[in-house]
Amino acid sequence: MDAFVVKTRDPKANDKSKCSTKTTVMERHAQFPKETHVAGQKLFCTSCNLVLDHTRKSSVSSHLGSGKHKQKRDLTEKSNQPAKKQRVLTESSSSVPSTIASQERNELCMEWVAMLAAANIPLSKTDHPAVRDFLHKKVVNGGAIPHRKQLQECYLEREYSKRKEEVKLLLKGKAVSIMTDEMSDDNGRWVKSYYHLQCNLI
Ligand SMILES: [Zn+2]
């Protein structure tokens, strides 16, 4: 996940007292007009489709000086097409938290993992070139979604724990019977299925 955290070179920059809360999104954009744009009161890196923390100038500078950003910028320039600027259709809040970049990233990644899990789509599909291309071009802040390994290590466990608690709450105090079955899947691997049935006892 570290690769997607907009880091700062100044270790003291994590201190909220270092945030320039008075600097507006537009003012920060004016300092980096060629490489950023504003949508929905958020500052985006245009090349990477990534929300930046506008309250910290060092954080924005650090990202724009990173190898990852330069790679994306060079790709955009080589394609001779201006990067599509993401638009945000709804504005969530007038107050902009100092950790806006990380909050945006966390929310997006949690929702992405939840969607994949609900649709039974392997996390590895996130790494498919077509998916990455779609995320980058069409999804607001889609460049913040990391690859499978980071999703698995940083977000899947949280989603699993969340779902587990929901199931526990659903079954709490209720009679449950468990059935198991065993058979091979399409690849000849043996799998065991568990069926949890809620019994409505009178
Ligand atoms: Zn960038």
Side-chain angles (χ1 to χ4, degrees), residues 45 47-48 63-64 69:
C45 170
S47 298
C48 300
H63 171 75
L64 297 179
H69 167 77

Side-chain angles (χ1 to χ4, degrees), residues 45-50 52 63-64 66 68-70 72:
C45 170
T46 303
S47 298
C48 300
N49 182 21
L50 191 70
L52 302 174
H63 171 75
L64 297 179
S66 68
K68 189 174 180 64
H69 167 77
K70 287 174 181 171
K72 286 277 185 188

Side-chain angles (χ1 to χ4, degrees), residues 47 138 191:
S47 298
K138 301 291 184 185
V191 294

Side-chain angles (χ1 to χ4, degrees), residues 72-130:
K72 286 277 185 188
R73 184 194 60 195
D74 292 346
L75 276 175
T76 305
E77 287 175 356
K78 274 183 189 170
S79 68
N80 259 344
Q81 290 179 343
K84 288 187 177 177
K85 296 182 178 179
Q86 292 292 341
R87 290 186 304 123
V88 177
L89 299 180
T90 56
E91 297 183 11
S92 55
S93 170
S94 57
S95 62
V96 183
S98 60
T99 55
I100 184 167
S102 60
Q103 284 186 8
E104 290 286 334
R105 184 184 59 253
N106 280 333
E107 282 177 24
L108 178 64
C109 290
M110 283 304 296
E111 287 189 33
W112 176 254
V113 168
M115 180 277 291
L116 293 178
N120 201 22
I121 299 172
L123 286 182
S124 59
K125 294 296 181 188
T126 307
D127 296 349
H128 192 285

Side-chain angles (χ1 to χ4, degrees), residues 181-193:
D181 192 13
E182 192 176 26
M183 62 182 300
S184 59
D185 65 8
D186 291 347
N187 295 319
R189 295 172 301 199
W190 287 97
V191 294
K192 180 169 274 190
S193 299

